Amino acid sequence: MSVGVKEKAAGWEPLIVAFCCNWCSYAGGDLAGTSRLTYPSNVKVIRVPCSGRMNPMFVLRAFQRGADGVIVAGCHPGDCHYSTGNYSARRRLSAFKRLVEFAGFEPERFEVRWISSSEGDKFAEEMTGITERIKALGPNGKMRDARWQKKA
Amino acid sequence: MARTGVFVCHCGTNIAGTVDIDQSVEASRGFPGVVHAGEYRYLCSEMGQDLIKNAIEEHNLDRVVVGTCSPRMHENTFRKAAAEAGLNPYMLEVANIREHCSWVHREMDEATPKAIALLRAAAAKVALNDPLDIPELDVEKRALIIGGGIAGIQAALDIAEAGYVVDIVEREPSIGGRMAQLEKTFPTLDCSACILTPKMVEAAQHPNVNLITYSEIDEVKGFVGQFDVKIRQKARSVDSVKCTGCGICWEKCPSKAPSEFEMGMAKRKAIYVPFPQAVPNVPVIDRDNCLYFKKGRCQICAKECPPEAIDFEQQDVVIERRYGAIIVATGFDQLDPSIYGEYGYGQHPDILTGLEFERLFNASGPTGGKVVRLSDGKPPRNVVFIQCIGSRDKARGMNYCSKICCMFTAKQAILLKEKVPDARSYVFYIDVRTAGKGYEEFQRRAAEEYDVAYLRGQVGKIFPEEDHLVVHGVDSLSGKIVEIKADMVVLAAASIARCDAPEVGRKVGINSDSYHFFNEAHPKLRPVETHTAGVFIAGACQAPKDIPDTVAQASAAAVKAIGLLSKEKLQGEACTAEVIQDECSGCLNCIAVCPYTAITEVEIEERHHGGTLKRTVAQVNPSLCQGCGSCTATCRSGSINLKGFTNEQILAEVDAICL
């Protein structure tokens, strides 16, 4: 029996790791807070300076350690604080997503979104959206490292 | 082993309302490396900071985690506090348990575990923090102002008076901007030109101010203190040094074109100054309409010009200059109301926008200062003003209030009554908004003394009938349908962001709101700064604004720029990339992705089988690196790391969050 089925039975809640660039998406998340919007607490944000900083290794590590979904959020194309970081991110991460799919993993578990610092509402929507999609998809059983035990 | 202290802030009830503080503190005690955990009502207060400082000494802490608001808010506050207690300021991490936790979740059993996860991630990260040095950077003692309207002029004069050289880059042939187009200003009815032109002249004559008119920004590179800017000075076809501004050329020029300054309501010559008080008073040749440039014949201006200043061969010049600070003051555009079919704008000469109507009052305007109908030249008897054209219009996604329209409409109605005593004004409005010193009184005067009828409601249709316009509207207070036979209709078209604002923002590095107005760094506390250090904003490019607010903001931006320029050295970015040269394979992919040309190739010597070997590797210049980290993700061998956001730190956060 896979990990997923067992957990689903016991009121399973997905874990979503969100990597947000400091200048747009993290600030968008701040704005969601200041505007008192809500999104599921399944989402936990890790701040990176730029979406261009995102090494696909970070995403793999999150899945390996038991994340059920990962979202990378950066400035809109053209609006990167560092002018071109999100373009590198776009190329690298879309190639990565295809690779993940090729390896037999559900590509829906990994998303890239552009959220500006003024889009608090979009931040909340995207975070709610991915949580709902992952809930429907069920737990990540394929890429989880069995040696990495989830603490009770 | 790390000796980490964790401090959790209640933020009054902002955090404590949805996060169980005691539970979070208790959980923090169990994180690896944590030797002390505490809480306080307001950690950012002086008492709160003292609590951290004392704990650092008492428990011999070597690193700190604070669970507070966003690091974008108070990271620096706490870094300073840590530094005052003798720690390197970068030995601190912030867990954002307010904006990203207590404010977005409603239930305590939901927010508390998340807060603990975020604290755990911060503790895991901080355990791997290294002390970082802040590099010192030079400051070029020169400011650039983009936009020569009243905001740009005011900021330039303030900076110049403080003793720094400042360049104003203006796209049009003259500085002056929107304010130069106005006849009078509310609520004092000062003549706009009378208060603006002395400032324009002052700017032109000030030894510290350089006007670079008829020019645009091509490229901005660099960073605070050292922006390298390319300015394209368009070919004026007139030698600015030789020209005396006598005006013979534009008198003699046979070719006419619609005047941009008059918004197409009047003609100008192909060689022209946009308006009589132009500064500099040097004409430009509009090459699209000049007979010589079009057909190769004419040259009358060159023949007539006494100082022989006409230069048909002139080319665009790119000026490259370094600046310490940049102020963007590019102003606003007026919405083209023809997107609203019901108002018939553009289909009838007597339906004007507010700015167009303004020009009719001006002595140098299209009608020579006579307020008359453009259709038949007769003075209007009934004028209907319609407010909020494109403002406060949710259906079209233009939710904001343009702020100035209620007031300029009241002003124009008063001016109209003074010019045409038997004229009657009707104003259709949603709400009359008159916040500002003397504004309410002014608007009341319009309604009470100048016989302006204010009708709360909207207009559904305007159509021509015989020699007048029929305005169909609703007076929502009486609930009646109103039909007015109007001689003229004036539409208070919304103030919108300049059409090229996104492009300018991209070049300079300012992000915008959903209406393309530039974003300030903080809506209340940092109103003129942007998220790009050293770049400031002033005036209506940030949001619709009247002249007093614009001038105040311009002076504020100037002070910020002066503060920056007055520093001998600036503190640079501490979180920069670093190449582990022993591991670098020299593929140099990092050079291609670096937006700051901060990476160069260098040759190193290595000992190899007893001899030495020369090898090419990458090297980061820390004073150019801004810490985006693109290079680290590009590096195949993983031999570049970003200080403050190392691979190990981010992975530690991932691990801690996934526990």
Side-chain angles (χ1 to χ4, degrees), chain B residues 80 97 162 174 188 265 271 326 329 355 372 383 389 407 409 582 653:
Chain B
K80 266 186 210 155
I97 59 168
S174 166
T188 48
M265 292 189 296
I271 182 165
I326 299 177
L355 201 51
V372 291
V383 177
I389 307 293
M407 288 306 294
T409 298
D582 288 348
E653 280 186 276

mmCIF file of all heavy atoms in Angstrom, chain B residues 80 97 162 174 188 265 271 326 329 355 372 383 389 407 409 582 653:
data_model
loop_
_atom_site.group_PDB
_atom_site.id
_atom_site.type_symbol
_atom_site.label_atom_id
_atom_site.label_comp_id
_atom_site.label_asym_id
_atom_site.label_seq_id
_atom_site.Cartn_x
_atom_site.Cartn_y
_atom_site.Cartn_z
ATOM 1 N N LYS B 80 19.881 45.568 13.055
ATOM 2 C CA LYS B 80 20.591 46.630 13.787
ATOM 3 C C LYS B 80 20.687 46.273 15.262
ATOM 4 O O LYS B 80 21.741 46.437 15.883
ATOM 5 C CB LYS B 80 19.853 47.959 13.629
ATOM 6 C CG LYS B 80 20.383 48.804 12.498
ATOM 7 C CD LYS B 80 19.700 50.170 12.507
ATOM 8 C CE LYS B 80 19.633 50.717 11.093
ATOM 9 N NZ LYS B 80 18.558 51.673 10.905
ATOM 10 N N ILE B 97 5.589 35.509 10.527
ATOM 11 C CA ILE B 97 4.386 34.838 11.051
ATOM 12 C C ILE B 97 3.206 35.799 11.146
ATOM 13 O O ILE B 97 2.188 35.466 11.733
ATOM 14 C CB ILE B 97 4.651 34.161 12.416
ATOM 15 C CG1 ILE B 97 5.116 35.185 13.453
ATOM 16 C CG2 ILE B 97 5.656 33.037 12.267
ATOM 17 C CD1 ILE B 97 5.119 34.631 14.872
ATOM 18 N N ALA B 162 20.902 72.503 -2.961
ATOM 19 C CA ALA B 162 21.693 71.792 -1.953
ATOM 20 C C ALA B 162 23.134 71.619 -2.405
ATOM 21 O O ALA B 162 23.964 71.110 -1.656
ATOM 22 C CB ALA B 162 21.069 70.428 -1.659
ATOM 23 N N SER B 174 10.359 71.581 -24.706
ATOM 24 C CA SER B 174 10.443 72.534 -23.594
ATOM 25 C C SER B 174 10.076 71.831 -22.295
ATOM 26 O O SER B 174 9.278 70.893 -22.284
ATOM 27 C CB SER B 174 9.463 73.686 -23.822
ATOM 28 O OG SER B 174 9.307 74.426 -22.627
ATOM 29 N N THR B 188 -6.882 78.998 -5.827
ATOM 30 C CA THR B 188 -6.546 80.415 -5.668
ATOM 31 C C THR B 188 -6.744 81.201 -6.953
ATOM 32 O O THR B 188 -6.682 82.424 -6.946
ATOM 33 C CB THR B 188 -5.084 80.540 -5.238
ATOM 34 O OG1 THR B 188 -4.303 79.711 -6.112
ATOM 35 C CG2 THR B 188 -4.889 80.081 -3.812
ATOM 36 N N MET B 265 -5.929 71.078 -31.352
ATOM 37 C CA MET B 265 -6.969 72.095 -31.596
ATOM 38 C C MET B 265 -6.435 73.286 -32.368
ATOM 39 O O MET B 265 -7.199 74.142 -32.801
ATOM 40 C CB MET B 265 -7.556 72.572 -30.259
ATOM 41 C CG MET B 265 -8.366 71.495 -29.548
ATOM 42 S SD MET B 265 -9.248 72.159 -28.130
ATOM 43 C CE MET B 265 -7.910 72.661 -27.092
ATOM 44 N N ILE B 271 8.711 74.049 -37.959
ATOM 45 C CA ILE B 271 9.751 74.439 -36.995
ATOM 46 C C ILE B 271 9.025 75.250 -35.928
ATOM 47 O O ILE B 271 8.301 76.195 -36.225
ATOM 48 C CB ILE B 271 10.926 75.205 -37.658
ATOM 49 C CG1 ILE B 271 12.001 75.531 -36.614
ATOM 50 C CG2 ILE B 271 10.472 76.480 -38.377
ATOM 51 C CD1 ILE B 271 13.320 75.953 -37.228
ATOM 52 N N ILE B 326 18.232 58.822 -9.116
ATOM 53 C CA ILE B 326 17.309 59.116 -10.225
ATOM 54 C C ILE B 326 15.935 59.441 -9.643
ATOM 55 O O ILE B 326 15.447 58.724 -8.760
ATOM 56 C CB ILE B 326 17.185 57.906 -11.187
ATOM 57 C CG1 ILE B 326 18.538 57.567 -11.803
ATOM 58 C CG2 ILE B 326 16.150 58.181 -12.273
ATOM 59 C CD1 ILE B 326 18.521 56.338 -12.708
ATOM 60 N N ALA B 329 9.708 61.559 -12.732
ATOM 61 C CA ALA B 329 8.570 62.478 -12.581
ATOM 62 C C ALA B 329 7.945 62.664 -13.951
ATOM 63 O O ALA B 329 7.962 63.741 -14.524
ATOM 64 C CB ALA B 329 9.051 63.810 -12.002
ATOM 65 N N LEU B 355 -8.978 69.161 -20.292
ATOM 66 C CA LEU B 355 -7.725 69.824 -20.647
ATOM 67 C C LEU B 355 -7.877 70.633 -21.926
ATOM 68 O O LEU B 355 -7.320 71.728 -22.064
ATOM 69 C CB LEU B 355 -6.622 68.770 -20.787
ATOM 70 C CG LEU B 355 -5.175 69.235 -20.660
ATOM 71 C CD1 LEU B 355 -4.943 70.058 -19.404
ATOM 72 C CD2 LEU B 355 -4.238 68.039 -20.684
ATOM 73 N N VAL B 372 -15.148 80.123 -26.826
ATOM 74 C CA VAL B 372 -16.167 80.021 -27.879
ATOM 75 C C VAL B 372 -16.297 78.570 -28.319
ATOM 76 O O VAL B 372 -15.414 77.757 -28.054
ATOM 77 C CB VAL B 372 -15.800 80.874 -29.115
ATOM 78 C CG1 VAL B 372 -15.898 82.357 -28.790
ATOM 79 C CG2 VAL B 372 -14.424 80.524 -29.642
ATOM 80 N N VAL B 383 -23.226 75.133 -20.642
ATOM 81 C CA VAL B 383 -22.116 74.183 -20.732
ATOM 82 C C VAL B 383 -22.366 73.062 -19.731
ATOM 83 O O VAL B 383 -22.644 73.318 -18.559
ATOM 84 C CB VAL B 383 -20.770 74.865 -20.444
ATOM 85 C CG1 VAL B 383 -19.640 73.842 -20.475
ATOM 86 C CG2 VAL B 383 -20.507 75.976 -21.455
ATOM 87 N N ILE B 389 -15.236 60.556 -16.125
ATOM 88 C CA ILE B 389 -15.181 59.850 -17.402
ATOM 89 C C ILE B 389 -13.963 58.934 -17.353
ATOM 90 O O ILE B 389 -12.828 59.369 -17.516
ATOM 91 C CB ILE B 389 -15.055 60.841 -18.589
ATOM 92 C CG1 ILE B 389 -16.141 61.906 -18.542
ATOM 93 C CG2 ILE B 389 -15.047 60.065 -19.910
ATOM 94 C CD1 ILE B 389 -17.531 61.401 -18.762
ATOM 95 N N MET B 407 -12.292 69.419 -8.758
ATOM 96 C CA MET B 407 -11.776 70.757 -8.523
ATOM 97 C C MET B 407 -11.565 71.529 -9.821
ATOM 98 O O MET B 407 -11.890 72.695 -9.921
ATOM 99 C CB MET B 407 -10.476 70.672 -7.717
ATOM 100 C CG MET B 407 -10.683 70.275 -6.278
ATOM 101 S SD MET B 407 -11.867 71.313 -5.403
ATOM 102 C CE MET B 407 -11.015 72.865 -5.394
ATOM 103 N N THR B 409 -13.081 71.147 -12.547
ATOM 104 C CA THR B 409 -14.393 71.463 -13.112
ATOM 105 C C THR B 409 -14.983 72.694 -12.430
ATOM 106 O O THR B 409 -15.501 73.602 -13.093
ATOM 107 C CB THR B 409 -15.332 70.254 -12.966
ATOM 108 O OG1 THR B 409 -14.777 69.176 -13.708
ATOM 109 C CG2 THR B 409 -16.722 70.572 -13.469
ATOM 110 N N ASP B 582 38.179 26.688 -6.935
ATOM 111 C CA ASP B 582 38.755 25.343 -7.037
ATOM 112 C C ASP B 582 37.831 24.396 -7.788
ATOM 113 O O ASP B 582 38.264 23.468 -8.454
ATOM 114 C CB ASP B 582 38.990 24.758 -5.629
ATOM 115 C CG ASP B 582 40.155 25.445 -4.948
ATOM 116 O OD1 ASP B 582 40.887 26.180 -5.654
ATOM 117 O OD2 ASP B 582 40.312 25.277 -3.731
ATOM 118 N N GLU B 653 15.943 25.018 4.896
ATOM 119 C CA GLU B 653 14.579 25.535 5.088
ATOM 120 C C GLU B 653 13.553 24.538 4.554
ATOM 121 O O GLU B 653 12.523 24.296 5.183
ATOM 122 C CB GLU B 653 14.416 26.871 4.349
ATOM 123 C CG GLU B 653 14.981 28.054 5.093
ATOM 124 C CD GLU B 653 14.642 29.341 4.349
ATOM 125 O OE1 GLU B 653 15.386 29.700 3.418
ATOM 126 O OE2 GLU B 653 13.630 29.985 4.686
#
